[in-house]
Amino acid sequence: MAKEVDLIKEKLDFVDFMRSYLTLLPAGRNFKALCPFHSEKTPSFVVSPDKQIWHCFGCGEGGDLIKFAMKYENLEFYEALKILAEKAGVAIQASGNRDFQANSALYKVMDAAKDFYKS
């Protein structure tokens, strides 16, 4: 499964993927946009093509393209992975449903821990 995730990340251009959802403005080596997860007037959502990550300095959300797809489209890990794999032209090996539920649960636990430590 990890190989497929890495392959998807390699094949999809991170900035083009983010542009399909947001209007990105150049900001040095990075790009800025208005955060889609909270209302704001000044862009605080930063996309780093070098690191292949995004982060909002307003609400504290961040992650990779899978996390963005999960949050923006309100999807579970496996659903987001299937959509991204289709866009990248990568075949996902169907391992047991238990693996995908575990990955989804891990994302939820990490989000809860992040929110706990943030507060």
Side-chain angles (χ1 to χ4, degrees):
M1 175 57 89
K3 286 188 265 181
E4 287 92 353
V5 171
D6 291 339
L7 189 58
I8 290 168
K9 288 180 180 180
E10 281 178 27
K11 289 199 172 200
L12 287 177
D13 183 84
F14 188 67
V15 174
D16 287 341
F17 173 77
M18 297 302 283
R19 273 195 181 120
S20 68
Y21 292 94
L22 307 168
T23 303
L24 297 178
L25 304 170
R29 295 170 63 179
N30 298 324
F31 294 89
K32 282 189 172 185
L34 294 174
C35 182
F37 307 122
H38 75 281
S39 61
E40 62 182 2
K41 295 181 182 177
T42 306
S44 63
F45 188 91
V46 177
V47 174
S48 174
D50 296 336
K51 297 177 184 175
Q52 300 286 303
I53 59 169
W54 57 274
H55 181 78
C56 177
F57 290 94
C59 65
E61 291 290 336
D64 60 2
L65 62 104
I66 297 171
K67 176 76 185 275
F68 183 83
M70 287 174 62
K71 182 139 181 82
Y72 192 87
E73 300 287 346
N74 195 24
L75 300 170
E76 294 291 324
F77 177 79
Y78 181 65
E79 295 167 326
L81 198 61
K82 282 195 321 189
I83 291 169
L84 294 173
E86 188 175 306
K87 286 183 180 185
V90 175
I92 295 180
Q93 220 179 50
S95 63
N97 193 24
R98 177 182 264 167
D99 291 342
F100 301 123
Q101 289 175 347
N103 284 336
S104 182
L106 287 175
Y107 268 100
K108 287 179 183 176
V109 167
M110 288 188 301
D111 275 344
K114 175 192 62 106
D115 292 341
F116 174 77
Y117 285 108
K118 186 176 164 183
S119 65

